Amino acid sequence: MDENSASNCIIASKQSVIRRLIIACVACVAVAAPQYSYDGPRAASSEEVAILKDDRVHEDDGRYSYDVETANGIVLSQSGSPDGDEGAVVKAGEYSYTAPDGTDVHVRFVADENGYQPQSDLLPVAPEFPHPIPQFVLDQIAFAAEEDARRAREGPRESPRSLYSAPN
């Protein structure tokens, strides 16, 4: 075998290895590519619920309203208009449904420059202020005042550092 044949054989062998390497890389990229078959979140139940009412109105000036009602008792009504600062949409509406424990939930709301403001008998309400102060709190305040008065009568105490000094 002459020198040209040997070098041609080596070059062909290197090209074959490079081709195989490129094919392997392309195959790896294809296998590792993300799969885009998202079906959405899975509900606890696959039951389909009929839409009984779906009335929507969108005006040219930005006002809108919609009323939706489903066969499982969900009712939503909302309207809005761009009356807020810098054209922000002010919304008002209500929704109701039956909670899993059977409780009827009804919420009215307004969303404007003061934020989302829901109203419902089921929402917790802070006590009105000034509210009565519990007796245990009053007792603790009195105890702290007595301690402060006692310390003031006794005068300054010796610091713990001086009590634990090195022996003489």
Side-chain angles (χ1 to χ4, degrees), residues 77-143:
S77 176
Q78 181 173 309
S79 62
S81 62
D83 295 334
D85 293 341
E86 299 179 21
V89 175
V90 175
K91 302 176 182 189
E94 58 186 305
Y95 58 89
S96 61
Y97 61 94
T98 303
D101 67 357
T103 304
D104 287 330
V105 177
H106 185 84
V107 178
R108 292 176 187 259
F109 64 90
V110 173
D112 58 14
E113 65 273 358
N114 297 316
Y116 178 70
Q117 303 156 55
Q119 294 178 350
S120 173
D121 293 339
L122 298 176
L123 295 175
V125 178
E128 291 191 29
F129 199 78
H131 53 80
I133 300 174
Q135 186 59 46
F136 75 91
V137 174
L138 296 172
D139 294 344
Q140 185 63 40
I141 292 170
F143 178 75

Side-chain angles (χ1 to χ4, degrees), residues 14-132:
K14 285 182 181 179
Q15 287 176 342
S16 175
V17 169
I18 290 173
R19 282 187 194 123
R20 287 183 185 150
L21 183 61
I22 290 172
I23 290 171
C25 288
V26 168
C28 287
V29 168
V31 169
Q35 305 298 313
Y36 296 107
S37 61
Y38 180 69
D39 293 333
R42 299 273 185 230
S45 164
S46 61
E47 170 188 349
E48 291 188 20
V49 178
I51 305 295
L52 303 177
K53 178 180 179 181
D54 188 356
D55 296 332
R56 299 170 188 258
V57 177
H58 295 272
E59 303 291 341
D60 293 335
D61 62 357
R63 292 180 296 135
Y64 73 92
S65 67
Y66 59 85
D67 293 299
V68 177
E69 185 176 342
T70 64
N72 63 354
I74 297 172
V75 178
L76 170 63
S77 176
Q78 181 173 309
S79 62
S81 62
D83 295 334
D85 293 341
E86 299 179 21
V89 175
V90 175
K91 302 176 182 189
E94 58 186 305
Y95 58 89
S96 61
Y97 61 94
T98 303
D101 67 357
T103 304
D104 287 330
V105 177
H106 185 84
V107 178
R108 292 176 187 259
F109 64 90
V110 173
D112 58 14
E113 65 273 358
N114 297 316
Y116 178 70
Q117 303 156 55
Q119 294 178 350
S120 173
D121 293 339
L122 298 176
L123 295 175
V125 178
E128 291 191 29
F129 199 78
H131 53 80

Side-chain angles (χ1 to χ4, degrees), residues 139-155 157:
D139 294 344
Q140 185 63 40
I141 292 170
F143 178 75
E146 291 171 9
E147 279 190 327
D148 290 344
R150 182 180 48 82
R151 285 190 185 132
R153 284 190 307 269
E154 292 175 358
R157 293 180 49 180

